[in-house]
Amino acid sequence: MEKAIECIELVKRFKDVVALNGLTLEVPRGRIFGLIGPNGAGKTTTIRICLGLLKPDSGEARLFGEDPWNNPDVKARVGVLHEQMELPRHIRALELLEHVARIYGVPEASKRAREVLELVGLADAANRKIGALSAGMKQRLCIAQALIHEPELVIADEPMANLDPLGRSEVIDLVARLHKDEGVDFVISSHILPELGRICDSVALIHEGRVHVTGTLDELMREFGRSFRVSVSDPMVLRPKVLELSYVKDAYISGRDLLVEVEEGHEDEFYGVVRSLAEQAGLEFYGLESRVASLEDLFRRVVLGRLGR
Amino acid sequence: MAVGRRWPPLEILAMDLKEAYRFPIPEILAFLYAFFPLIFSPVAYAAMGLEAEEARLLIIMSLSSSMISFITIILILKNISYGLANEIRKGLVQTYLTYPVGRASFFLVKLISGVLIPIAYIVLSICVFTGLLFPDLALKHLDVFLLGLLAFVADVLLPASLMFLAAIAVRRGGASLAIGIALLFAVNVISSILLMIGNITGWEGVRHVYYTLNPLAALMRHYSLAIGGTPLGPGGGAPTMWECVAYLSGNYAIAIAFYVAALIYFLRRFEPV
């Protein structure tokens, strides 16, 4: 099966900073794939290498099986939304989309430009100069230019940035609809994990220039199993005691609570002992909440959990 | 969606021109390129007293282009040294390179909008001015007119090539602008030093280098064009016509080499972020 993106042992340095440190990643076709990770993890660098904008120091990146460097044919199959994307400021929104449509060879460029403006809710701003658009409107325009040629794959770096909650929700719905109805694949890098968790079917967690966890959400949730939110007077005291339990996979502090991940099948056992563990430690026990692991849990475990140990 | 792309760089060029030459920039440029040759026209008539017709033609062209060469250099500094470097820094070049446009085509687009269009302005201005006021002279000595035109273009093309290379290497509008201005001064200072050394020593090698950097001076020297009775250019004999052609070719070869170096860097290593 053709892979949308394939990165093999990518290394990229910017002077003394190692942005990618042997990153290996595969994005299959037919997915909404999320790239998650903290700031400076290497998500944007990975995307830029995959688009042929940066050259890796070593390793290899392939977009639809081809080297993306100076490769217009493979870029024609992709729609791109960069983080804080710069557009020419003195031309009008509709004009820009008409030009972009013609670059991609879209028939009836003007009609299609109006369609996508309508799609992203910018029909009223068609004749406004780009420099006069608000940050949110500009973001919508960037989304429009990425979708104008009905690409096979959309690569979006922080597509929800600058959007209000309603705008984010609209983008999420749009992505889900385009994927379902028109078969458009997406690779989305975002910090906004709850929204990403709503639409992605696969994710890769990038941290310190490497992929730490990757897979479908089902696989990852199975692996991470259920987690518990334990409210006690001092979670720092309870944490080492909980980690002594053989079936506890991880425990980390979240605010004033302790989040505990347990192996599948041991939930009832944990439920039975956690209160007595707290009491033996002289802590006040406020409550216990069972929850399904989320992208945030995954993120915390890889990025923060390791620091907490 | 069905793909039947016409040449995509044309669309990038259209967007680039709308940005770089938006109202009222072309209108102001058209005015300046018409205004300065016209205010120098009375002086040009005074040149009709010169003996050699070729010398008359060259001085007329020189007068018509004196201020507009300066304006052209300013325009290139704005488009390339400041504009292109800033576009790289802010991410507009990254946006354009995200579209299905080859790097060589994109390079050509920037060359057209940043350098070749300002040069077209200067060529058009000289042609219109000379053609309107002295059509017979220009037609009678068409070879001199064309060589002179190429020499005027060379005066702009070589510094522009250095500015282009600096802009894509430096990527910061302010720094690139400062380097562009410094390069302009450097070229002029080097020419002056060469002229001085040539006059003092009479060395042939210095003369060749000077005329290669300033093919217009070689052409003027060839026709013994003098200012205040002093022949232009370093000491020694006047260059022959073939030498003038060789100097001109050498100048273009150097400029083209710089553009090719910029292109190779752009194709192989340039990262627009």
Side-chain angles (χ1 to χ4, degrees), chain A residues 8-21:
Chain A
I8 304 160
E9 288 291 321
L10 288 181
V11 173
K12 180 70 183 174
R13 290 182 196 87
F14 296 103
K15 293 182 181 165
D16 296 335
V17 178
V18 180
L20 298 183
N21 189 13

Side-chain angles (χ1 to χ4, degrees), chain B:
Chain B
M1 184 163 277
V3 173
R5 282 184 284 157
R6 66 184 197 186
W7 200 51
L10 273 182
E11 298 298 331
I12 306 274
L13 179 63
M15 283 194 274
D16 207 39
L17 292 181
K18 282 177 185 173
E19 282 288 287
Y21 297 93
R22 63 187 178 274
F23 175 81
I25 295 171
E27 288 77 4
I28 292 173
L29 289 175
F31 171 75
L32 293 176
Y33 279 85
F35 176 74
F36 282 111
L38 284 176
I39 61 162
F40 282 112
S41 58
V43 191
Y45 278 103
M48 298 307 280
L50 287 171
E51 195 175 317
E53 285 187 333
E54 293 91 338
R56 271 186 237 162
L57 182 59
L58 282 176
I59 195 87
I60 287 162
M61 291 171 74
S62 178
L63 284 169
S64 69
S65 72
S66 55
M67 272 307 287
I68 57 176
S69 285
F70 178 67
I71 296 168
T72 305
I73 287 288
I74 301 282
L75 189 58
I76 293 172
L77 277 171
K78 173 209 157 268
N79 286 346
I80 299 297
S81 291
Y82 189 74
L84 176 60
N86 248 354
E87 284 179 9
I88 295 169
R89 182 170 173 73
K90 287 185 174 172
L92 189 57
V93 170
Q94 172 183 262
T95 301
Y96 287 149
L97 287 179
T98 300
Y99 299 137
V101 177
R103 283 178 172 242
S105 307
F106 181 77
F107 184 90
L108 182 62
V109 163
K110 296 310 293 184
L111 197 62
I112 290 171
S113 70
V115 178
L116 297 184
I117 287 180
I119 285 177
Y121 267 110
I122 198 171
V123 168
L124 194 66
S125 179
I126 294 173
C127 288
V128 168
F129 175 77
T130 316
L132 278 178
L133 298 182
F134 307 99
D136 297 341
L137 196 60
L139 283 174
K140 188 176 175 188
H141 300 285
L142 197 58
D143 53 343
V144 179
F145 179 73
L146 291 176
L147 269 179
L149 212 52
L150 286 173
F152 282 112
V153 169
D155 262 1
V156 177
L157 200 64
L158 181 57
S161 68
L162 293 169
M163 290 178 209
F164 205 98
L165 199 52
I168 61 172
V170 176
R171 301 146 177 250
R172 287 168 191 270
S176 169
L177 186 62
I179 290 172
I181 293 169
L183 285 171
L184 274 178
F185 275 107
V187 169
N188 283 319
V189 167
I190 289 168
S191 288
S192 301
I193 292 171
L194 288 171
L195 180 61
M196 195 172 65
I197 295 172
N199 275 328
I200 294 167
T201 63
W203 289 342
E204 280 294 297
V206 174
R207 195 173 73 106
H208 293 319
V209 176
Y210 174 81
Y211 282 139
T212 305
L213 289 176
N214 301 278
L216 186 61
L219 210 54
M220 289 181 157
R221 183 80 172 88
H222 173 74
Y223 290 110
S224 300
L225 193 59
I227 292 176
T230 309
L232 289 174
T240 65
M241 177 50 77
W242 284 114
E243 278 180 323
C244 289
V245 172
Y247 294 137
L248 195 57
S249 307
N251 185 291
Y252 273 83
I254 293 168
I256 289 168
F258 281 125
Y259 286 115
V260 169
L263 175 63
I264 290 170
Y265 172 68
F266 198 80
L267 288 176
R268 294 191 180 169
R269 294 297 326 165
F270 177 76
E271 295 179 335
V273 282

Side-chain angles (χ1 to χ4, degrees), chain A residues 201-212:
Chain A
D201 39 34
S202 302
V203 292
L205 198 153
I206 300 177
H207 184 41
E208 293 173 344
R210 297 180 70 90
V211 172
H212 284 258

